[in-house]
Amino acid sequence: MSTQENINYERIAEAINYIKLNFKAQPNLDEVAEKVNLSPFHFQRLFTDWVGISPKKFLQYLSLEYAKGILKDKQATLFDTAYETGLSGTSRLHDLFINIEGMTPAEYKNGGKELSINYSFAQSPFGNIIVASTPKGICYMAFADDHADALDQLKQHFPNATYTQVVDLAQQDALFIFKKDWSQLPAIKLHLKGSSFQLKVWEALLKIPMGGLCSYGDISQNIQLPNASRAVGSAIGANPVAFLIPCHRVIRATGESGQYHWGSTRKSAIIGWEAAMLNQPVSI
């Protein structure tokens, strides 16, 4: 993705944030376009190019009513019917091609002293990201608004690992998730440091399909710990792999989006983008 495309996302994010903050006033196209320093024509075209629908339609996917409707839809969670939807098009699910392998204590003891980690920076529809991998798979992926800070945060997970800045095949495969043709996605392996409970929560997140939303309570029910919503929230907040493990699809039972490690505006952008992709006649 070019630098210009990254600038485009920043403008879209600014527009989404402005619309959210001024939702009750229902700002029109001209007002939002002026806020991001574009003519109404160019803003409408930019927004439509980015997500495939108009700003007005996109706003519907961010509404409280829309979120509540998805939560009430039994198909939204798909925990019991995940494998009944098939493999093609928009119904291809994360848990059919993303597999988690937990690190052994020996692999991450002493701050990951025995680990060799490759990392690189890339661009996505939602801004810059850092992605890191071990010989066994992706171990970390995060949105990286500041490269130096993002690298520091990675190294906090494994302070004694050996790091090499290089793009490898595992990283390339992972980045295909941002392409629109999910039918061509290769199997993706994740090699993650986490407790048994965290791994169980992260695996449950993989069952939420694109366009689906669920609550923290839904995840607790799925892992058969109905009273563990708070612990589930902590495990979701500790998710080390942005987007691939779709923690952005977990919202409050009220329909409100709730917190997100990489920013509430980015979470809204991803939820709206996925909803738009799901409702377009394209292969995703």
Side-chain angles (χ1 to χ4, degrees), residues 121 140 143-156:
F121 295 95
Y140 185 82
F143 292 103
D145 296 321
D146 180 275
H147 283 195
D149 180 64
L151 181 57
D152 285 343
Q153 290 189 39
L154 166 61
K155 290 184 176 180
Q156 288 177 20

Side-chain angles (χ1 to χ4, degrees), residues 20 64 67 214 216 247-248 250-268 271:
K20 286 178 62 180
L64 194 62
C214 73
Y216 296 95
C247 58
H248 56 273
V250 183
I251 63 175
R252 295 172 180 165
T254 59
E256 298 170 293
S257 64
Q259 297 180 339
Y260 187 55
H261 182 74
W262 296 283
S264 61
T265 296
R266 181 174 274 121
K267 181 175 184 176
S268 295
I271 289 174

Side-chain angles (χ1 to χ4, degrees), residues 205-274:
L205 296 178
L206 293 176
K207 296 179 181 179
I208 310 170
M210 175 180 256
L213 299 171
C214 73
S215 69
Y216 296 95
D218 291 332
I219 298 293
S220 298
Q221 292 286 345
N222 177 253
I223 63 174
Q224 300 180 350
L225 291 171
N227 298 318
S229 293
R230 181 170 296 182
V232 163
S234 296
I236 291 173
N239 171 26
V241 182
F243 200 85
L244 283 174
I245 297 180
C247 58
H248 56 273
R249 296 176 189 160
V250 183
I251 63 175
R252 295 172 180 165
T254 59
E256 298 170 293
S257 64
Q259 297 180 339
Y260 187 55
H261 182 74
W262 296 283
S264 61
T265 296
R266 181 174 274 121
K267 181 175 184 176
S268 295
I270 296 173
I271 289 174
W273 185 85
E274 289 191 334

